[in-house]
Amino acid sequence: GEDVEQSLFLSVREGDSSVINCTYTDSSSTYLYWYKQEPGAGLQLLTYIFSNMDMKQDQRLTVLLNKKDKHLSLRIADTQTGDSAIYFCAESRGTDKLIFGTGTRLQVFP
Amino acid sequence: GAGVSQSPSNKVTEKGKDVELRCDPISGHTALYWYRQSLGQGLEFLIYFQGNSAPDKSGLPSDRFSAERTGGSVSTLTIQRTQQEDSAVYLCASSLTGDTEAFFGQGTRLTVV
């Protein structure tokens, strides 16, 4: 199937690290993306990783890709209240459509 | 324009009426997507355009839904005889090609009463 799966909720304390996980099904995916959706707003690309990479770091964000297990994760270091949002992973397969996960709602509490 | 523009931003319609939702993609972007996001749900793929053609219409929920794209640019999503379950936010995205970053519009919130 085409399912991209994520856990629905994650709650973390401000200053801690957040890890959001995603599993996908198509081993031929070329790019994998993380998008952020803040309340009442559209989706914004946070970061992406090409399928031949294992890890990508961008400031507080670290993306890990395990192709063997088809597992993607997003780690946010020093999580802030402004990071509260819904996070979507997505995969693309060449020029085909983007397949999105169900989204993980991250709640950061003081 | 600078980003993906969708109109209207909000639409309230009576059950049974037809609605048209518009998407203006970023200039030069060949790929255009329509997604639907129901309250508290993830993104549901509806249709994908490459240029003016739609290689994948598999996500359209019923024959009441149709979409077209003209001139490789503007796209309209039409919902005929709207039902209450059509209430959702309809998001449009475009990308330079089919496998590069997709930029999203702010969406159209459709409410069917």
Side-chain angles (χ1 to χ4, degrees), chain A residues 53-69:
Chain A
M53 298 170 64
D54 297 324
M55 185 183 85
K56 180 178 180 181
Q57 186 149 6
D58 184 0
Q59 299 182 339
R60 292 191 296 122
L61 305 178
T62 303
V63 179
L64 295 177
L65 175 61
N66 181 330
K67 282 196 72 174
K68 175 175 169 289
D69 294 337

Side-chain angles (χ1 to χ4, degrees), chain A residues 37 42-43, chain B residues 4-9 11 19-23 33-38 43-46 59-61 64-65 77-79 82-93 104-112:
Chain A
Q37 185 181 37
L43 276 77
Chain B
V4 178
S5 177
Q6 291 187 246
S7 60
S9 54
K11 176 74 177 178
V19 294
E20 269 194 5
L21 311 181
R22 178 187 168 104
C23 173
Y33 307 83
W34 283 99
Y35 292 89
R36 178 167 74 172
Q37 187 175 27
S38 301
L43 288 167
E44 177 188 4
F45 169 78
L46 297 179
L60 294 177
R64 295 186 296 105
F65 286 73
L77 176 69
T78 302
I79 309 173
T82 51
Q83 304 295 313
Q84 287 185 329
E85 62 263 27
D86 299 334
S87 296
V89 176
Y90 289 81
L91 289 164
C92 175
F104 280 81
Q106 295 297 305
T108 294
R109 181 176 297 278
L110 175 66
T111 305
V112 182

Side-chain angles (χ1 to χ4, degrees), chain B:
Chain B
V4 178
S5 177
Q6 291 187 246
S7 60
S9 54
N10 279 285
K11 176 74 177 178
V12 180
T13 190
E14 291 181 354
K15 180 181 170 182
K17 300 280 190 187
D18 298 352
V19 294
E20 269 194 5
L21 311 181
R22 178 187 168 104
C23 173
D24 280 276
I26 293 172
S27 178
H29 281 197
T30 62
L32 186 146
Y33 307 83
W34 283 99
Y35 292 89
R36 178 167 74 172
Q37 187 175 27
S38 301
L39 185 63
Q41 302 297 311
L43 288 167
E44 177 188 4
F45 169 78
L46 297 179
I47 189 168
Y48 160 67
F49 287 93
Q50 183 63 248
N52 290 336
S53 63
D56 191 342
K57 304 179 183 180
S58 62
L60 294 177
S62 75
D63 59 7
R64 295 186 296 105
F65 286 73
S66 63
E68 64 175 14
R69 189 179 185 194
T70 55
S73 181
V74 172
S75 175
T76 54
L77 176 69
T78 302
I79 309 173
Q80 295 178 308
R81 305 180 302 282
T82 51
Q83 304 295 313
Q84 287 185 329
E85 62 263 27
D86 299 334
S87 296
V89 176
Y90 289 81
L91 289 164
C92 175
S94 71
S95 65
L96 189 59
T97 60
D99 60 350
T100 53
E101 176 186 356
F103 294 83
F104 280 81
Q106 295 297 305
T108 294
R109 181 176 297 278
L110 175 66
T111 305
V112 182
V113 297

